[in-house]
Amino acid sequence: FLDGAREMVVWDSSTGARLHACGPVQESFSILPVPRSSHVVTVSLSSTAVWDVGTGERLMSLPGDNFHGASVSPGGDVLVTTHEEMGLTVYDLGSAARLGAFNWSADDLEDQGDVEGDWL
């Protein structure tokens, strides 16, 4: 939960007590849990970061900007981010190593004759 101080606040769900805050956090539009861990990923236009909600520590910040979304693998070991430039980047969550990237342009998508619908 992000409060007015741009912190992600961790609450004890059984008592309602505020445990601690992680931050500062950019204005995030997505907070994703990482399966099998006490970590979450925050995604904003200007940054993507991985946090330990148990300690409030930022574990890693991923390079780049213009992030539009992210997804964590079911095993919690891979993060895929989407970018304004219409690309995907794949990261190893254990090391923050960039595993690969896939970029395309709107022209590439429009050239596909069998693509139907207004999904762009």
Side-chain angles (χ1 to χ4, degrees), residues 56-106:
E57 177 184 5
R58 182 191 324 228
L59 302 174
M60 67 181 75
S61 293
L62 299 175
D65 58 10
N66 293 320
F67 294 103
H68 281 258
S71 184
V72 178
S73 68
D77 54 342
V78 174
L79 173 70
V80 177
T81 60
T82 61
H83 306 273
E84 182 178 90
E85 294 82 24
M86 298 188 75
L88 302 172
T89 305
V90 181
Y91 297 94
D92 179 303
L93 276 175
S95 66
R98 184 176 171 213
L99 300 176
F102 177 71
N103 294 302
W104 65 90
S105 72

Side-chain angles (χ1 to χ4, degrees), residues 6-116:
R6 303 252 189 254
E7 296 177 319
M8 182 173 48
V9 178
V10 180
W11 301 87
D12 183 318
S13 63
S14 61
T15 66
R18 178 183 167 137
L19 298 177
H20 57 265
C22 305
V25 181
Q26 299 294 323
E27 188 172 327
S28 296
F29 53 80
S30 188
I31 300 174
L32 308 166
V34 177
R36 300 180 179 87
S37 76
S38 63
H39 303 157
V40 296
V41 176
T42 57
V43 181
S44 72
L45 285 176
S46 59
S47 70
T48 294
V50 180
W51 302 84
D52 185 324
V53 295
T55 65
E57 177 184 5
R58 182 191 324 228
L59 302 174
M60 67 181 75
S61 293
L62 299 175
D65 58 10
N66 293 320
F67 294 103
H68 281 258
S71 184
V72 178
S73 68
D77 54 342
V78 174
L79 173 70
V80 177
T81 60
T82 61
H83 306 273
E84 182 178 90
E85 294 82 24
M86 298 188 75
L88 302 172
T89 305
V90 181
Y91 297 94
D92 179 303
L93 276 175
S95 66
R98 184 176 171 213
L99 300 176
F102 177 71
N103 294 302
W104 65 90
S105 72
D107 292 337
D108 294 336
L109 297 174
E110 290 173 10
D111 289 342
Q112 304 298 319
D114 58 349
V115 175
E116 294 182 8

